[in-house]
Amino acid sequence: MIPIERHQQILALIAERGVISINELTERLGVSHMTIRRDVQKLEDQGALLSVSGGVRSTERLAAEPSHLDKTAMFSNEKFLIGQAAAQHIPRNSCIYLDAGTTTLALARELGERDDLLIVTNDFVIANFIIESSQCRMIHTGGTLCRDNRSCVGEAAARALQNLSIDIAFISATCWGPRGIFTPDEDKVIVKRTVASVSSKRVLLSDSSKYNKIATFLALPLDQFDVAITDNRLPDSAQQTLAAKALELVVAG
């Protein structure tokens, strides 16, 4: 059996069972543990499955992004720790971009005492925090309103970014994995890609609950990032996968 046939059978078994052990895969496919682990690694790198202790499981596809209000209540402590860790990466007098999201909002809250930054954002909640609680200068991108996400997206937001030179972009993700970051909203793709292109350093901020979930649109490949900051619930296998991609991984908490 050639590799692509094994891969198809592995994915079919996972689709049927949800979770399946490495031992059972070797028995069902009649190959060695080493062969199965190579197959699993290949499929995990493609975002097609997720390794768990002793086996593999299917990835979760996200059809729609939760609203800002819903996300605020999810993994708040992890986001707080990620925000604290990210704040340590910002030199004085930097121009930074804070992408729309509740994890980047946690970072913004760590910057309330700063007065030396120029902060660029497409997020209205972050903008309001800076107006009320920070002396930093700010540029809001404007663009097409994404009401549930409290942000601006689309070509107008991207055009506003094209004329800027940003030192560090802190980019959020609805879901992410070895391939990169994904979104169910196509209008967000152009904003993330544009800010990545005008930034000297790109930092992914995302909690581990979003890891190895996928959505329809690949916004940025993982190799576009210099650093990823997440929390300590990220599985060891995932940390090893990311380390193999020469990505600097910061685990907060």
Side-chain angles (χ1 to χ4, degrees):
M1 185 185 300
I2 63 175
I4 192 169
E5 291 175 328
R6 289 198 308 274
H7 295 173
Q8 290 170 347
Q9 289 203 28
I10 290 169
L11 294 176
L13 287 166
I14 293 171
E16 176 186 334
R17 301 274 295 279
V19 178
I20 190 167
S21 70
I22 297 294
N23 286 338
E24 185 170 353
L25 285 173
T26 61
E27 292 173 5
R28 295 285 291 267
L29 299 180
V31 294
S32 68
H33 276 73
M34 185 175 295
T35 297
I36 287 296
R37 291 193 182 280
R38 282 198 299 265
D39 290 339
V40 165
Q41 185 64 59
K42 180 75 171 178
L43 291 167
E44 187 167 25
D45 287 347
Q46 295 172 358
L49 54 75
L50 176 63
S51 294
V52 295
S53 180
V56 292
R57 70 169 174 82
S58 60
T59 55
E60 181 180 339
R61 177 173 288 274
L62 195 68
E65 184 172 355
S67 70
H68 177 89
L69 184 61
D70 289 338
K71 289 189 292 185
T72 299
M74 299 164 63
F75 300 92
S76 56
N77 186 60
E78 285 79 6
K79 292 171 184 177
F80 168 72
L81 294 171
I82 292 169
Q84 281 192 323
Q88 306 306 311
H89 286 251
I90 306 175
R92 286 191 59 80
N93 301 313
S94 297
C95 174
I96 67 170
Y97 174 76
L98 299 183
D99 201 10
T102 50
T103 310
T104 43
L105 175 60
L107 169 56
R109 288 172 173 155
E110 294 298 313
L111 306 177
E113 300 300 316
R114 302 272 301 253
D115 62 1
D116 58 296
L117 303 173
L118 171 56
I119 299 175
V120 182
T121 188
N122 64 332
D123 188 294
F124 288 111
V125 182
I126 290 173
N128 191 59
F129 174 82
I130 295 166
I131 290 168
E132 294 186 348
S133 304
S134 171
Q135 294 302 308
C136 291
R137 294 180 297 148
M138 181 185 69
I139 296 172
H140 194 285
T141 64
T144 301
L145 173 64
C146 181
R147 185 168 280 103
D148 284 346
N149 201 43
R150 304 291 194 268
S151 67
C152 285
V153 295
E155 292 188 6
R159 282 197 299 271
L161 292 165
Q162 286 173 349
N163 296 321
L164 301 177
S165 177
I166 294 170
D167 295 313
I168 311 173
F170 293 95
I171 300 174
S172 62
T174 304
C175 40
W176 64 293
R179 284 184 63 197
I181 66 172
F182 294 83
T183 175
D185 186 347
E186 188 174 12
D187 285 337
K188 293 184 179 181
V189 174
I190 190 172
V191 177
K192 293 180 190 292
R193 290 182 180 177
T194 301
V195 76
S197 72
V198 301
S199 299
S200 299
K201 184 175 183 179
R202 294 154 293 275
V203 180
L204 170 61
L205 298 187
S206 189
D207 68 76
S208 61
S209 72
K210 300 172 182 175
Y211 183 78
N212 245 19
K213 296 179 180 178
I214 60 171
T216 303
F217 301 102
L218 176 64
L220 282 170
L222 205 64
D223 62 12
Q224 291 289 299
F225 291 94
D226 303 289
V227 182
I229 305 179
T230 188
D231 61 82
N232 60 12
R233 293 187 181 187
L234 188 71
D236 289 342
S237 61
Q239 294 187 35
Q240 293 167 5
T241 297
L242 296 173
K245 292 183 172 293
L247 177 73
E248 181 184 348
L249 181 65
V250 177
V251 178

